[in-house]
Amino acid sequence: ILGDGELNVKLNFKARAFSASAKEKLEAAGSSLTVLPGRKKWVKPSVAKNLARADEYFAKKRAAASAAETESTSA
């Protein structure tokens, strides 16, 4: 929902996303806002597997870098 225009009455809104200006205007009018959960983007199983591997790889790298940083600051 985008924030173009004006609103002078209370309404109930349910949407996947609200722009910052829309949130501001709707809340100022006393409306209630409900953010609905978004849908996950479908990807091929082989791509999903590669993405999972990449996430795991980078998580290990971040953990190792964090451990090295902690070790260097304590020494």
Side-chain angles (χ1 to χ4, degrees):
I1 295 185
L2 301 176
D4 291 343
E6 298 296 322
L7 181 68
N8 298 322
V9 295
K10 287 184 180 182
L11 296 173
N12 296 329
F13 289 93
K14 293 181 182 180
R16 293 196 197 287
F18 296 89
S19 71
S21 61
K23 256 186 183 178
E24 188 178 301
K25 288 179 181 180
L26 294 172
E27 288 172 347
S31 296
S32 69
L33 310 178
T34 304
V35 178
L36 300 173
R39 287 182 266 164
K40 289 190 175 185
K41 183 178 177 182
W42 182 87
V43 293
K44 287 172 54 175
S46 60
V47 173
K49 188 176 181 181
N50 289 338
L51 290 173
R53 284 183 183 162
D55 287 341
E56 183 180 330
Y57 172 79
F58 287 114
K60 285 180 183 176
K61 282 194 81 113
R62 282 191 296 271
S66 177
E69 183 180 311
T70 311
E71 186 177 298
S72 67
T73 57
S74 64

